[in-house]
């Protein structure tokens, strides 16, 4: 287990539904006394579900800092002992530590431990470990917040889902969310029009926030070393990804960029490797079909 002591979390870019749920849970803990007076308790546990790189860990950090509580992170894949009997004791000790004082505990890669107990491939000891984990979740105090994250929701035991007060489903980001995230990652050093183009490329490849951050970081390093604007470095890096697409996909993407009117036909040609003659021919056909 580690205690997250990194700097302030950047306000995460989230789907509206996820943001509403995260803020609601935080508000419940900040207003705990009002709930207790009404005979209610705040949400004690929440399950974060979604593919890698969509912000699950970042949201846990943001919630902990919003609540003014330490964030404890336990990567369950790292505590799986070769002697399974020890793993249950390890998890109990960590959870007891987190219960001792108000905190936010993130159980990462929950599916490593909380697998379906009807999976015939799993040994009996691991199935008993799931039971231990469920008991600990049931006993979690309202003074702390237990978060769990998984990239593989289908592997979880059905009983696990029922134990959590809230389930937050993190989808892959859309173009607007990618654009907002890129603006953060580039520290506002690139024009909105450029970010919109890059976001469109990333979305066409089902990219995550983590993918966008890697692309932006690489572009900023390239901009410094080559002494070029971040926007140019970002477009060049983006173009390298586009040119790995098949020719029909590049033509389709080039047409989307031209019609979105974010850049000139010449720049679209440079970015996608599709000739201006091809673009003009497609535009002519579309006009004739109308």
């Amino acid at each position: 287990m580690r205690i997250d002591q990194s700097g302030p979390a950047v306000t995460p870019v989230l789907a509206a539904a996820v943001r509403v749920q995260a803020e609601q849970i935080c508000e419940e803990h900040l207003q705990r006394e009002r709930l207790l007076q009404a005979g209610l308790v705040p949400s004690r546990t929440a399950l974060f579900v979604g593919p890698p790189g969509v912000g699950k860990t970042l949201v846990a950090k943001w919630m902990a800092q919003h609540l003014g509580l330490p964030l404890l992170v336990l990567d369950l894949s790292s505590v799986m002992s070769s002697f399974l009997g020890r793993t249950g004791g390890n998890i109990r000790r960590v959870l007891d530590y987190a219960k001792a004082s108000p905190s936010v505990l993130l159980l990462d890669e929950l599916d490593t431990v909380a697998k379906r107990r009807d999976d015939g491939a799993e040994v009996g000891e691991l199935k008993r470990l799931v039971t231990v984990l469920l008991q600990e979740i049931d006993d979690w105090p309202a003074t702390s917040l237990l978060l769990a994250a998984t990239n593989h929701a289908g592997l979880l035991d059905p009983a696990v889902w029922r134990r959590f007060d809230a389930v937050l489903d993190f989808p892959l980001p859309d173009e607007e969310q990618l654009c907002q995230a890129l603006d953060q990652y580039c520290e506002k050093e690139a024009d909105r029009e450029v970010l919109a183009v890059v976001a469109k490329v990333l979305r066409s490849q089902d990219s995550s926030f983590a993918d966008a951050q890697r692309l932006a970081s690489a572009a900023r390093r390239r901009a410094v070393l080559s002494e070029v604007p971040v926007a140019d470095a970002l477009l060049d890096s983006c173009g390298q990804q586009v040119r790995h697409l098949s020719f029909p996909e590049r033509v389709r993407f080039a047409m989307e960029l031209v019609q979105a009117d974010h850049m000139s036909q010449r720049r679209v040609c440079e970015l996608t490797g599709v000739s201006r003659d091809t673009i003009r021919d497609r535009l002519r056909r579309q006009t004739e079909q109308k």
Side-chain angles (χ1 to χ4, degrees):
M1 182 182 69
R2 64 182 175 85
I3 300 176
D4 190 304
Q5 296 179 322
S6 54
V10 175
T11 302
V13 177
L14 297 171
V18 175
R19 178 175 295 281
V20 168
Q21 286 181 284
E23 290 177 346
Q24 167 75 22
I25 293 170
C26 288
E27 189 62 23
E28 289 177 13
H29 278 263
L30 292 172
Q31 301 288 336
R32 181 187 301 109
E33 293 304 319
R34 291 182 61 186
L35 290 177
L36 293 175
Q37 290 174 6
L40 302 170
V41 294
S43 298
R44 301 171 300 116
T45 59
L47 176 62
F48 292 177
V49 177
V54 291
K56 298 188 293 295
T57 303
L58 179 60
V59 170
K61 178 178 178 180
W62 174 77
M63 292 176 72
Q65 293 189 348
H66 190 56
L67 295 172
L69 297 176
L71 174 63
L72 313 177
V73 181
L74 177 64
D75 184 346
L76 290 172
S77 64
S78 68
V79 301
M80 288 297 291
S81 170
S82 56
F83 301 97
L84 282 174
R86 298 180 182 177
T87 304
N90 291 340
I91 291 177
R92 271 205 173 97
R93 282 192 289 274
V94 170
L95 296 181
D96 286 343
Y97 176 85
K99 289 177 183 178
S101 59
S103 64
V104 176
L105 172 63
L106 173 62
L107 300 178
D108 204 6
E109 297 196 42
L110 180 66
D111 49 273
T112 305
V113 173
K115 294 183 178 179
R116 299 175 63 95
R117 284 173 290 184
D118 59 2
D119 184 350
E122 297 299 344
V123 297
E125 186 63 36
L126 186 55
K127 294 177 182 179
R128 286 190 287 274
L129 182 57
V130 176
T131 301
V132 169
L133 185 60
L134 295 180
Q135 292 171 346
E136 292 291 338
I137 294 174
D138 286 340
D139 294 337
W140 196 254
T143 53
S144 292
L145 179 61
L146 171 64
L147 306 175
T150 178
N151 302 330
H152 306 287
L155 296 179
L156 294 180
D157 188 283
V160 172
W161 294 85
R162 297 193 295 270
R163 287 328 202 273
F164 287 94
D165 297 328
V167 176
L168 282 66
D169 191 356
F170 288 68
L172 285 169
D174 60 23
E175 281 185 34
E176 177 57 30
Q177 291 160 2
L178 283 167
C179 196
Q180 293 177 30
L182 285 167
D183 195 32
Q184 288 184 353
Y185 304 148
C186 292
E187 297 188 1
K188 302 188 181 300
E189 293 182 22
D191 296 336
R192 174 77 183 191
E193 291 75 13
V194 170
L195 298 179
V197 170
V198 177
K200 185 177 286 292
V201 173
L202 291 172
R203 184 66 189 94
S204 71
Q205 299 175 351
D206 291 331
S207 299
S208 66
F209 289 122
D211 296 323
Q213 187 169 26
R214 280 193 291 270
L215 184 68
S217 296
R220 294 185 68 201
R221 290 193 294 269
R222 181 176 180 178
V224 171
L225 296 177
S226 302
E227 297 183 343
V228 298
V230 171
D232 289 352
L234 194 59
L235 281 175
D236 287 342
S237 298
C238 182
Q240 292 174 14
Q241 293 192 354
V242 172
R243 284 188 284 275
H244 283 97
L245 301 175
S246 66
F247 181 69
E249 290 176 317
R250 284 189 286 123
V251 171
R252 177 185 59 78
F253 187 68
M255 295 304 297
E256 289 181 1
L257 291 180
V258 169
Q259 292 168 338
D261 200 27
H262 288 310
M263 59 176 60
S264 67
Q265 286 188 22
R266 181 185 62 80
R267 194 69 178 97
V268 171
C269 294
E270 294 173 351
L271 182 68
T272 63
V274 176
S275 70
R276 295 186 74 175
D277 287 342
T278 299
I279 292 175
R280 287 168 177 167
D281 181 60
R282 293 299 177 96
L283 288 172
R284 179 180 56 78
R285 287 191 214 172
Q286 290 181 0
T287 301
E288 290 174 351
Q289 291 173 358
K290 291 181 179 179

